[in-house]
Structures are given as C-alpha cells and as structure tokens.
Amino acid sequence: MNDIKISVLGSDGVGKSALIVRFLTRRFIGEYASSSECIYRKLLSVDGRQVNLQLYDPCSQACEGKPTLNDQIHWADGFIVVYDISDRSSFLTAKAIVRLIRELQLRSAKRDVDSFIFLVGNKQDLCHVREVQHEEGQCLATELRCQFSELSAAEHYQEVTLVFSKTVQNTSLSGKAKDRRRRPSGSKSMAKLINNVFGKRRKSV
Ligand SMILES: Nc1nc2c(ncn2[C@@H]2O[C@H](COP(=O)(O)OP(=O)(O)OP(=O)(O)O)[C@@H](O)[C@H]2O)c(=O)[nH]1
C-alpha cells in the first residue's frame, strides 16, 4: 500500500485543524486543542489504488522536541498551506512557508520535480473583514506554482474535500511519494525520520 504524507501548514489560528477535521468527519467544530501535534490517518482509494494518507497538523505552542518547520517540510510529500483572509500577517507567513518549501526543494537532489502545494485562503465567510484580496492569493499561487482556493471550513464541505482530494491525487503522481513507490528501499530512512520526529502521537479518525 502507498503512503502519502501531507503537511497542513500556516500561522496559528488560520483553521488548519478545522479544515482537517472537516475533511475527515464532515463536521465543523468550533474549537480545537492546539497544545499537541497530530498525525491523522485515513485509508483512501486513489485511481483504483489503496492509499494510506497521513495528515500532519502541527502544534502551535512551543514545546520540547517540537519538529522545526524544515523537519515538517522534509517529512511531507505534499502540502496544504493555509492563511486566514481576514489576517494579512497570516498571508505573509503562508508566502514565507511556500517560498521555503520551493527553496528546500531547489537544494534537494530531486530539484526537477515540484512538490505539490495547495494554497488555501480560509475563513471566506469573514469577507466583510477581509484583509487579503482574492487576486493576491491567486497571484502568489501562480508565482510559486501552487493550486489556489478560497473557502470557509465553517461553511464549505465540498470545497474542503476538493482541496484534500486534489492534493492527495497530485501528490501521489509526483515527487517523493512516486519515487518511494519505485524504490521501496528508500522508504527506510524516511520511516526512521517519521519515527524520530513524530513517533509518539498518531490519531485515526
Ligand atoms: N469564521 C470562521 N472561523 C473559522 C474557520 N475555520 C476555523 N475557524 C476558527 O478559527 C479558530 C482557529 O481554528 P483552528 O482550526 O484551531 O486553527 P489552527 O490553524 O489549527 O490553529 P493552531 O492549532 O493554533 O495552529 C477557531 O476558533 C475556529 O473555530 C472558518 O472557516 N471561518
């Protein structure tokens, strides 16, 4: 079975957990504990293949042994980078994260294969207090070769599902996930990294 690892990244409070929980359970839950990081697991069928999806939701609070952003990027095959359309600083953070992903990729041996990144402007229901225009998100996505969507975890189940399914599908077709399928021996060192970095807390929904 193929493993696909997706990191959901972005500033504190942009709705990362809300998006993941919405995708996995269809429900929008108002508040989430942000004191611990989680890896959620789900079995999916993608183009007739069974896939073991792992979704990483980082913990926003500083704690001992917390993986760095670089660790979180190295671990993942694909990314969903989230900002809050009513918070400009979260957009600047999302920009910096996407740039870092592209930069680390340039330094890696697989520099010719783009990792799949979905840039998501969340909390569209708060458009009356919008600080980031739709076009700004779209422009950033085009500049850094990302898919882009504006949505609301609170109000849009279909759109949230589309973001996750597109990310899983595209990630399985490109980059590290595909490479791992071709060369199973390569997965050993990756497995070690996962255990080192995230070994303790895993959740199934
Ligand atoms: N209005 C609105 N609020 C949302 C939406 N998505 C999440 N929220 C709220 O935003 C707050 C933060 O959501 P979380 O899902 O905990 O955000 P997070 O990015 O996981 O936060 P950390 O765990 O602190 O990094 C909560 O109060 C959510 O109810 C949305 O689409 N619209």
Side-chain angles (χ1 to χ4, degrees), residues 11-18 28 30-32 34 60 122-123 125-126 152-154:
S11 303
D12 303 353
V14 293
K16 300 181 293 297
S17 306
F28 175 70
E31 295 304 325
Y32 307 85
S34 54
S60 59
N122 188 33
K123 308 197 187 181
D125 55 295
L126 300 182
S152 162

Side-chain angles (χ1 to χ4, degrees), residues 20-91:
I20 293 174
V21 171
R22 186 68 142 149
F23 168 63
L24 294 175
T25 69
R26 292 178 160 247
R27 284 176 298 160
F28 175 70
I29 297 165
E31 295 304 325
Y32 307 85
S34 54
S35 55
S36 63
E37 72 205 359
C38 290
I39 292 182
Y40 296 87
R41 293 166 160 266
K42 187 179 173 72
L43 290 178
L44 290 176
S45 172
V46 178
D47 300 330
R49 274 182 296 112
Q50 282 279 60
V51 164
N52 175 27
L53 172 64
Q54 297 180 47
L55 287 172
Y56 175 62
D57 182 5
C59 145
S60 59
Q61 290 169 15
C63 51
E64 208 185 320
K66 181 181 168 179
T68 63
L69 181 57
N70 281 22
D71 291 333
Q72 296 166 15
I73 292 172
H74 281 303
W75 174 82
D77 302 317
F79 304 89
I80 296 174
V81 179
V82 187
Y83 64 91
D84 169 353
I85 65 151
S86 67
D87 174 7
R88 173 152 291 275
S89 73
S90 75
F91 179 66

Side-chain angles (χ1 to χ4, degrees), residues 185-197:
S185 60
S187 65
K188 274 187 192 158
S189 54
M190 212 48 207
K192 236 186 217 170
L193 179 63
I194 293 163
N195 288 336
N196 289 347
V197 177

Side-chain angles (χ1 to χ4, degrees), residues 78-198:
F79 304 89
I80 296 174
V81 179
V82 187
Y83 64 91
D84 169 353
I85 65 151
S86 67
D87 174 7
R88 173 152 291 275
S89 73
S90 75
F91 179 66
L92 300 178
T93 302
K95 193 190 273 195
I97 292 172
V98 175
R99 289 215 163 115
L100 180 63
I101 295 169
R102 290 291 179 235
E103 215 176 282
L104 290 175
Q105 188 188 326
L106 271 180
R107 284 191 234 148
S108 83
K110 300 258 169 273
R111 71 189 71 173
D112 49 333
V113 191
D114 256 356
S115 303
F116 185 82
I117 306 175
F118 214 128
L119 179 67
V120 173
N122 188 33
K123 308 197 187 181
Q124 201 189 36
D125 55 295
L126 300 182
C127 59
H128 50 289
V129 283
R130 180 190 280 281
E131 288 186 359
V132 184
Q133 296 308 311
H134 183 280
E135 301 72 53
E136 294 178 85
Q138 185 62 71
C139 276
L140 178 65
T142 307
E143 181 195 330
L144 294 171
R145 305 180 302 284
C146 308
Q147 289 272 320
F148 174 65
S149 179
E150 247 191 28
L151 48 70
S152 162
E155 294 186 348
H156 302 146
Y157 171 68
Q158 300 288 357
E159 286 83 345
V160 171
T161 300
L162 201 65
V163 164
F164 281 89
S165 15
K166 271 197 177 176
T167 305
V168 171
Q169 195 161 25
N170 283 283
T171 300
S172 78
L173 293 174
S174 67
K176 281 193 282 180
K178 189 172 176 188
D179 196 47
R180 217 171 28 240
R181 278 207 302 282
R182 277 205 224 103
R183 293 187 298 117
S185 60
S187 65
K188 274 187 192 158
S189 54
M190 212 48 207
K192 236 186 217 170
L193 179 63
I194 293 163
N195 288 336
N196 289 347
V197 177
F198 303 118

